[in-house]
Amino acid sequence: MPNSRQSWDEYFLALASQAATRSNCSRRKVGAVIVQGRHIRSTGYNGPPAGYGHCDAGACPRALTDPVANFGRVRAAAEHPLVGGDLRVRAGAEHPLVGGDLYDNCVAIHAEANALLFADHGDRDGSSLYSSAAPCFSCAKLIANSGIAEVVAGGGRYDGWEATRNFLQDCKVRVRVLDGLEHAVPLPLRG
């Protein structure tokens, strides 16, 4: 009879995905789990600081921009307290920006950062951080300085990911992205 039991990586990535369901971010839900010796030490998901309004209830100016059509253009956020009268204008933009591609106005703390915040130092040292998506560069800096020995992501590669990955590896943090593309060879396609 074949073994139908999940691998440890699959198990902890599934827990990270489950943690992501607690997120109230209206743009992207990410979860993270810190594991030491196959024991869960901490979990985290992306969302605003405790006591602040929920992103999906209009408390995040970045969430008030349309993520697909007119990416980054203002919809209804000119009155938002974090935006006020200091709206940025991109050259050639018809409308001022309050979010979209600007993370300055995002109130969320990322899943990886939350997992690190809620783990004791001894629980981070030599541990693995499982994330439902590849970490951003800001989280990579936190991970590199936290004592985490390995990052295992379930996917979520993005433009600039290879630079973030190289940074983590330069900081002696092992990195694995388990999305089936880990050893894929890019084909030289002609356009």
Side-chain angles (χ1 to χ4, degrees), residues 118-182:
F118 291 103
D120 291 334
H121 177 72
D123 290 339
R124 296 188 310 257
D125 201 31
S127 296
S128 295
L129 187 146
Y130 287 83
S131 181
S132 59
C136 70
F137 187 69
S138 292
C139 287
K141 292 185 288 185
L142 297 173
I143 291 165
N145 208 40
S146 70
I148 295 289
E150 176 184 46
V151 170
V152 182
R157 295 171 193 251
Y158 53 88
D159 286 343
W161 161 244
E162 287 305 318
T164 301
R165 176 191 202 124
N166 291 339
F167 170 80
L168 284 166
Q169 291 173 331
D170 288 347
C171 294
K172 309 299 183 230
V173 176
R174 289 183 307 276
V175 179
R176 295 184 292 138
V177 182
L178 305 182
D179 59 2
L181 302 174
E182 197 65 6

Side-chain angles (χ1 to χ4, degrees), residues 12-75:
F12 293 125
L13 284 172
L15 291 176
S17 292
Q18 186 63 34
T21 66
R22 290 282 305 144
S23 172
N24 60 47
C25 179
S26 58
R27 290 193 168 249
R28 188 171 187 202
K29 297 180 184 316
V30 178
V33 178
I34 294 177
V35 177
Q36 187 180 63
R38 295 186 183 164
H39 294 276
I40 298 165
R41 299 301 184 190
S42 180
T43 64
Y45 52 89
N46 59 322
Y52 195 77
H54 287 196
C55 298
D56 57 5
C60 178
R62 185 169 185 258
L64 294 174
T65 60
D66 190 332
V68 179
N70 298 317
F71 185 73
R73 298 195 195 284
V74 170
R75 262 196 347 209

